[in-house]
Amino acid sequence: MNFKCTHSNVLGIPLVEVFYRQYFDKHPYVFSTANPLLINTLINGFSLDHLIQTYLHEWGDIRIAKKDNADPTLSQQPPSDAMLLDAFNGGYTLVLNDLQQKLPTVAHICRLLSQQFLCPTNCNAYWTPAKGEALDLHYDDQDVYIVQLEGSKHWMVESRSAYRPYEGETYRPNTLLTECDHLTDCILEPGNVLYIPRGTGHKAVALDDNSLHFTFSTLNLRNRDLFVTFSETLHPYTEQLRQAVNCHEECFSEHISTVMASTLENIAQAFRDDPSLARSLFEQHVIPFIQEQPPAPISLEQSLRNTPDEVSYTTRLEVGRNQFLMLDTENLRIFFASGSIDIDPEHQWVLTLLNRMDSFSLAELEEEVETDGYIFDVEAIHALMDHQLVIIKKEEDMIHECSVCGYQYDDSDHALPFTDLPDDWVCPECMVDKSNFAVAEDKVTHLKQG
């Protein structure tokens, strides 16, 4: 097995090798994206109104944030169009979480970043009013790549931070953020990207116009993760660590020091003797690291239509939106959230297929594959569909209307069609159950793009 980080460079980092050598996990870095498609792709695939309407009734999918003078009663009421508009006009930033589970273009970019960094990736959008400031000085427990799409934002970033927190570690403002006395100023314009390593203090304020930026967060493997894996796996070299500590033993602290020093030396010698040991243990850790990540819920939207019997050579298909996807190109194996599959050598085209964004039919795919000199086999597609790595493209959706209040549930606006909602689901407007809904007169709506 040989995992290898890809060099898709979807964020358009100039001089990638310089970035990894001088900035990655060390210092903040501002650059103009060298990917000419990035900004237009994100903007064209993003509709604030559509996303708010789709996820309007769920706090968590939508958040509001304001540095000071925040009204605590706002978050105690269900979100609504009017409330969110009032909050935005009052200086609040609207935050839309987990766009990789909501937008195919963002899911695709997150999937490429996951392959590039060999770790899960997620994305949030921040829509900030002019002069607005969402958060005070803070730091994150993940590396972030901030892509400015509209408007301008003034960022202040600690230039010498060396703290690298783990996921879930609490903020320690009294001991860390108060030490951020070397803040560096930068202005992000559309097309600029700001990289901030985890643990780096930062804050931002929008300038004279409303600001929109996407934050891509990468949950990178850390050396401590690997060290824990090594210590659990290298039993022949860590046997002394299994001994009980006898606190009544004379000079027990010196004994512990001897045991620790001896164990570390045994491990160090093992790595010196076998250079392949580190790669082997790394790969043992990467697989569960990937598969512990939950599948993106958006892939459930067509789960009932993914049986091979329904697929013809003209059926429109698309790559599934599960962004946690790693490719072992040397051994032709795909690892993804909740599973993995092997690829036959004559089906290497599958690895290329999983990087595409456009929809396709089996007829188009077969012609493309055979033109490239590979063998097309529809069973390879069926195997991908079994794991929802390839799904049927949804072209039509139903509209169900509440007979009590008139609320309409449009399948194209939601991750799940109405028929797949749980039995205890209720109308978000008048709280009646599903039995009060019927197909509306204008029962079909075409899939909305963006």
Side-chain angles (χ1 to χ4, degrees), residues 417-442:
F418 183 85
T419 54
D420 290 352
L421 291 173
D423 293 337
D424 59 356
W425 182 87
V426 296
C427 174
E429 297 293 339
C430 65
M431 307 302 289
V432 299
D433 60 35
K434 287 177 62 178
S435 64
N436 292 276
F437 279 73
V439 176
E441 291 184 8
D442 297 328

Side-chain angles (χ1 to χ4, degrees), residues 331-344:
N331 295 294
L332 302 180
R333 191 166 181 81
I334 302 169
F335 295 90
F336 51 93
S338 75
S340 63
I341 56 175
D342 290 312
I343 299 297
D344 293 332

Side-chain angles (χ1 to χ4, degrees), residues 79-354:
S80 66
D81 283 332
M83 188 274 285
L84 292 176
L85 179 60
D86 288 343
F88 185 80
N89 291 334
Y92 282 82
T93 293
L94 304 187
V95 185
L96 295 111
N97 291 331
D98 295 321
L99 291 187
Q100 78 282 356
Q101 298 181 359
K102 301 174 174 66
L103 298 177
T105 53
V106 174
H108 175 71
I109 291 173
C110 284
R111 186 162 56 240
L112 292 177
L113 289 172
S114 292
Q115 294 172 18
Q116 182 173 351
F117 294 104
L118 284 182
C119 70
T121 307
N122 73 288
C123 178
N124 296 340
Y126 294 80
W127 181 238
T128 304
K131 307 295 185 181
E133 186 172 1
L135 301 170
D136 203 348
L137 188 66
H138 68 285
Y139 61 86
D140 300 310
D141 58 13
Q142 300 182 22
D143 286 13
V144 297
Y145 300 80
I146 297 155
V147 181
Q148 189 72 24
L149 298 178
E150 295 181 4
S152 303
K153 212 161 195 180
H154 175 203
W155 289 82
M156 289 150 281
V157 184
E158 169 63 31
S159 59
R160 61 174 192 169
S161 173
Y163 182 60
R164 296 293 177 262
Y166 274 69
E167 185 177 17
E169 287 189 344
T170 57
Y171 298 141
R172 296 186 289 171
N174 294 332
T175 59
L176 287 171
L177 295 180
T178 54
E179 299 172 4
C180 292
D181 55 358
H182 285 72
L183 293 177
T184 299
D185 294 88
C186 64
I187 305 295
L188 291 192
E189 304 284 355
N192 294 154
V193 181
L194 169 62
Y195 164 69
I196 304 179
R198 65 187 182 281
T200 303
H202 59 276
K203 61 180 180 178
V205 58
L207 296 182
D208 295 333
D209 298 315
N210 297 337
S211 167
L212 172 65
H213 77 260
F214 282 13
T215 295
F216 293 90
S217 302
T218 55
L219 181 60
N220 300 95
L221 276 171
R222 291 95 189 263
N223 287 319
R224 192 173 83 172
D225 299 328
L226 299 179
F227 186 82
V228 171
T229 300
F230 296 163
S231 63
E232 292 176 348
T233 307
L234 300 174
H235 298 311
Y237 312 101
T238 61
E239 190 61 34
Q240 293 181 87
L241 297 181
R242 296 173 178 268
Q243 298 173 356
V245 176
N246 184 356
C247 297
H248 297 283
E249 182 179 305
E250 186 177 358
C251 299
F252 77 92
S253 60
E254 288 82 352
H255 174 69
I256 292 175
S257 297
T258 301
V259 168
M260 294 298 179
S262 175
T263 299
L264 291 174
E265 177 55 34
N266 288 342
I267 294 175
Q269 189 61 48
F271 284 102
R272 284 192 290 265
D273 293 341
D274 184 2
S276 68
L277 185 58
R279 189 182 76 177
S280 175
L281 292 173
F282 172 76
E283 290 168 349
Q284 291 178 36
H285 190 88
V286 165
I287 295 173
F289 184 72
I290 298 165
Q291 295 178 345
E292 285 173 1
Q293 307 309 315
I298 198 168
S299 64
L300 298 176
E301 66 181 17
Q302 295 173 17
S303 60
L304 298 181
R305 306 180 218 185
N306 282 341
T307 56
D309 292 342
E310 297 184 19
V311 179
S312 70
Y313 261 65
T314 58
T315 303
R316 303 306 298 179
L317 303 172
E318 61 184 349
V319 175
R321 297 159 185 172
N322 187 329
Q323 75 277 17
F324 305 122
L325 179 68
M326 304 295 169
L327 308 179
D328 179 3
T329 56
E330 182 175 291
N331 295 294
L332 302 180
R333 191 166 181 81
I334 302 169
F335 295 90
F336 51 93
S338 75
S340 63
I341 56 175
D342 290 312
I343 299 297
D344 293 332
E346 62 266 27
H347 296 158
Q348 294 186 46
W349 52 269
V350 167
L351 301 177
T352 302
L353 168 67
L354 292 175

